Amino acid sequence: MSEQKIELYDGPAGGWGALRSVGKALLRQDIPVKGAKTLLSANQPDGFDCPGCAWPDRNHGSTFEFCENGAKAVAAEATARRVTRDFFAQHSVAELALQSDFALEDHGRLTEPMVYDAQTDHYRPISWDDAFGLIAKHLNALPDPNQAAFYTSGRASNEAAFLYQLFVRQYGTNNFPDCSNMCHEPSGTGMRESIGVGKGTVTLDDFTQAEAIFIFGQNPGTNHPRMLGELRQAAKRGARIVSINPMRERGLERFADPQDKLEMATLGDTAISSHYFQLRIGGDFAFVKGMMKALVEWDDAGRQVLDHAFIAEHTTGFDALLQDLRAESWELLEKESGLSTEHMRSAADVYAKAGSTIACWGMGITQHQNSVATIQMIVNLLLMRGNIGRPGAGPCPVRGHSNVQGDRTMGIWEHPPKSLLQGLERVFGFTPPQEPGLGTVDTIRAMLDGQVKVFFALGGNFAAATPDTVQTWKALRQCDLTVHVTTKLNRSHIVHGRDALILPCLGRTEMDMQAGGLQGVTVEDSMSMVHISMGINPPAAPDLLSEPAILARLAAATLGARSQTPWLWLVEDYSRIRDKIAEVFVDFADFNTRVSVPGGFRLRNTASERVWITGPGKAVFKTHAVPVDTPLHQARQRKGDAKVFALMTTRSHDQYNTTIYGNDDRYRGVFGQRRVVFANEQDIRDLGMKAGDLIDFVTEWASGDERRAEGFKLVAYNIPRGCVGAYYPETNPLVPLDSVAINAGTPTSKCIPVLMLPHKAAA
């Protein structure tokens, strides 16, 4: 591992640093040859879909269709390391609890089902049949199906997700907490109300035609590196790229494309952002509203920057928005955004001069109390100039894990639409539960209250991904049974219920052989493209089952004669599952034929056709006041002169979601460590401290409940005053369970009011 140091990084994103990082990842997993061969099949027509992010693939015939973090994800899955029964015999759960998140996953691939033995505090082997029998026993003993909750990670395939929701609804509940509840739930909520669909409207082709691209609260260099290729090409042809983000991020500044031989040979790079606005954490709403106010002022003065014909034909609610914008105070917008009127007008000028504009955003937008309103303001901005439903324009929420969007399409949703429930009843002959179920935060509360007693997770790392760590861990430990379908060991297997199972599954890079031969699974990327994924490597162990096979056998064991669904027959050939999907969902008609075409097919997006599936049948302008009573405002009022900082949790570059690949954050100059806090240099001095000193975080919350995270090293960084950033899951204990997005329930992990106190070392 790297030595601990803070060292300025002055190179571009990508480039030779990315290639060296890929090489190190393959060597660390002892697969230099196997790993390289595996990567050549990533995102290929006859290969597997990257198990990392959901960014689409442009060229399915290109040899190199992977990025640095995708390569790390592949290396971690294709690793030569194994976690066998001997490993668990040697390590008690108490011993494993002392290991870091990185160390737990770094042990390698799990090889057989394991069950927790409370008498010895060790996991021990269990047969698959006995494992399914134990789960069925717990589920069937519950007096109410709603006492069980079924979590889903965004890496589950469409086929697995469809079987999962089908089984759970036949069991009798809509309790589907999932990773969408923690990331882009506000995107779906906000856009459905405004334009009738909860997905982005753009395609990769739109990125080749956009004259301006606005990027809100997103760091593509770390979270979606392949996106940088599209931004690089857009910048080279003269598109204006406007980044709005509190922290300076290297991937939004400069990028060297590892696939560009000339750029690599000459150590060159491409400037990405033409404009970079560093607003305060939580200032996006005021910033966007300022842009819209500027447009209205110019239009009122005769500049004609609004698309009045589009507004008249395709929208409603504009008059109310217009009145609100005219009355809005520039002084308030400046105070809440942290930027000047001229900054907001400058951004508006770029937008006004562009013939077509894409607006992208990530979790820097969605994990705030007012995230739904902020997203609707971004949509308002696009609607004002007709930038939805035409080439080179539209909203683009950039989602995280590779099939998080597809899982929701398949019915992983605690608020199922009637059309889904009617389709399931028509095709499978049962009456699904009609009442809404529990999302992620509500599931944690229900476990704490003893209302949910069985927790089943299809992938993911629930204990590390969720907010309010102390409460979440308490909730999990109160369950009668916790079950995790997974490829590698993680924190959630150490924080478990009274009974606990670890069920190891195939990874996406591995061949999935069923009775009908080699199987492929499908995924849906961030731009609604559905394509097939075929593993190429032998399974990591002979006892591994695929996710669809695990779910089918579990359903058969649990439901028995109560279900008329031929579960085991369906998983003999996954085309049978896809046929059932096509029967339930109109947009998946002729699924098997359409997905067999290289690159797959795109699902219909009505808003991109200017068909508005809303109450009034038009796109809806939403009017909202600038938020001035958020938890951050309240905390600063309570503490008077004491310094309350706005904390945003973030990933390091050696991380994807909760998976830690290493302890370096190359672009931010952090090496060999993770307990760091990025703070403005003047703020550090005002605290009477210096870079390198240690601080303890304490959440400043109205309830007075203490939430602490201790021992973070101060790092001077280019970030606005009053704002700080630090990595999760280390800072998740600071996020209150009751701090969620209005109308979406997403944890507000990007704006937590905290105090930074001198570190008190343990006695």
Side-chain angles (χ1 to χ4, degrees), residues 374-388:
T374 301
I375 288 162
Q376 291 179 338
M377 296 304 275
I378 294 173
V379 173
N380 285 346
L381 181 68
L382 293 170
L383 290 172
M384 289 174 79
R385 286 181 48 78
N387 274 312
I388 299 181

Side-chain angles (χ1 to χ4, degrees), residues 190-246:
M191 290 193 298
R192 275 191 298 273
E193 292 179 355
S194 293
I195 60 174
V197 297
K199 305 178 182 182
T201 67
V202 303
T203 67
L204 284 183
D205 285 341
D206 288 313
F207 277 81
T208 68
Q209 302 175 66
E211 295 180 20
I213 301 170
F214 282 72
I215 303 172
F216 296 90
Q218 186 195 358
N219 178 17
T222 287
N223 301 329
H224 306 88
R226 280 185 294 155
M227 180 180 178
L228 290 181
E230 300 298 331
L231 297 179
R232 173 179 176 271
Q233 291 300 322
K236 280 183 169 293
R237 62 176 174 77
R240 312 304 279 172
I241 298 176
V242 181
S243 293
I244 303 99
N245 200 63

Side-chain angles (χ1 to χ4, degrees), residues 714-750:
L714 285 165
V715 175
Y717 203 79
N718 191 343
I719 188 171
R721 297 200 61 185
C723 302
V724 293
Y727 303 132
Y728 69 84
E730 289 84 354
T731 49
N732 284 355
L734 300 166
V735 185
L737 199 61
D738 56 347
S739 182
V740 297
I742 298 170
N743 296 328
T746 309
T748 61
S749 303
K750 293 299 184 285

Side-chain angles (χ1 to χ4, degrees), residues 156-179:
S157 68
N158 288 329
E159 290 75 11
F162 182 78
L163 289 183
Y164 194 37
Q165 63 84 31
L166 177 63
F167 156 58
V168 172
R169 290 193 165 102
Q170 287 193 22
Y171 172 68
T173 183
N174 284 315
N175 287 348
F176 281 109
D178 75 325
C179 54

Side-chain angles (χ1 to χ4, degrees), residues 293-305 308 326:
K293 181 174 176 64
L295 293 176
V296 168
E297 289 180 349
W298 294 333
D299 202 74
D300 286 345
R303 187 174 165 184
Q304 297 184 353
V305 293
H308 291 282
R326 286 172 175 156

